[in-house]
Amino acid sequence: MIQLSSTKTFNRRDVSILIGNLLDHFDAGLYGFLAPILAPLFFPQHDYVVQLILAYSILATSLVTRPIGAIVFSILARKYGPTLSLSYSLLGAAGATAFMGIIPLYDSVGWVAPVVLLVLRGLGGIFAAGEATVAQLYLLHRKEYQKGLKAGQYYHASSMAGMILSSF
């Protein structure tokens, strides 16, 4: 058990959920900060402003993919249990992030590079939504009211910590 304060104890599962949430927001923040560097590598055939718009548009795919992921993984959690759903969502988000690190650039494969980037960011959004939806419920499961409030505060603090960490 990890003691975060004198009255609140988190178990390993809770801490791993907080770390997973931190890494999810770190990934999104890092892409946002690196978009000006990535834009010319994936969209060299366009003007720089258009490159930026396209790079940030790929980040905005989460507006579509996250609701899909929330629905899919909440159904999985309801049918097969939150542990299985959370495990799949974390593995999927990690896999999508890892594969984004090895995408060939436009110079190597042409138009395939931005399409692969779009698909991986979309899949990452779906899996990240599953993590966010199920993790919050899993974190609050069987906790007293005050402990649940603290857990929710730590969850959102880990979101902010991921964004701040990505800015470094």
Side-chain angles (χ1 to χ4, degrees), residues 130-150:
E131 178 271 327
T133 303
V134 177
Q136 289 181 49
L137 296 174
Y138 207 71
L139 191 62
L140 298 175
H141 186 65
R142 295 187 183 158
K143 286 194 173 40
E144 300 169 8
Y145 179 75
Q146 287 297 329
K147 290 182 180 184
L149 285 177
K150 281 281 192 196

Side-chain angles (χ1 to χ4, degrees), residues 37-73:
I37 296 168
L38 296 174
L41 299 174
F42 285 95
F43 307 103
Q45 72 279 18
H46 296 288
D47 179 61
Y48 186 68
V49 173
V50 175
Q51 291 173 352
L52 283 175
I53 291 170
L54 291 170
Y56 282 116
S57 296
I58 288 179
L59 183 61
T61 59
S62 66
L63 296 173
V64 175
T65 59
R66 284 192 179 249
I68 293 168
I71 292 168
V72 167
F73 283 100

Side-chain angles (χ1 to χ4, degrees), residues 85-159:
S85 178
L86 187 59
S87 297
Y88 284 159
S89 66
L90 288 173
L91 288 172
T97 300
F99 282 118
M100 278 196 302
I102 60 171
I103 298 174
L105 302 177
Y106 187 89
D107 293 341
S108 301
V109 293
W111 62 270
V112 174
V115 170
V116 171
L117 180 63
L118 176 68
V119 168
L120 287 175
R121 285 298 309 172
L123 286 173
I126 288 172
F127 287 113
E131 178 271 327
T133 303
V134 177
Q136 289 181 49
L137 296 174
Y138 207 71
L139 191 62
L140 298 175
H141 186 65
R142 295 187 183 158
K143 286 194 173 40
E144 300 169 8
Y145 179 75
Q146 287 297 329
K147 290 182 180 184
L149 285 177
K150 281 281 192 196
Q153 292 168 355
Y154 281 118
Y155 185 82
H156 290 292
S158 71
S159 299

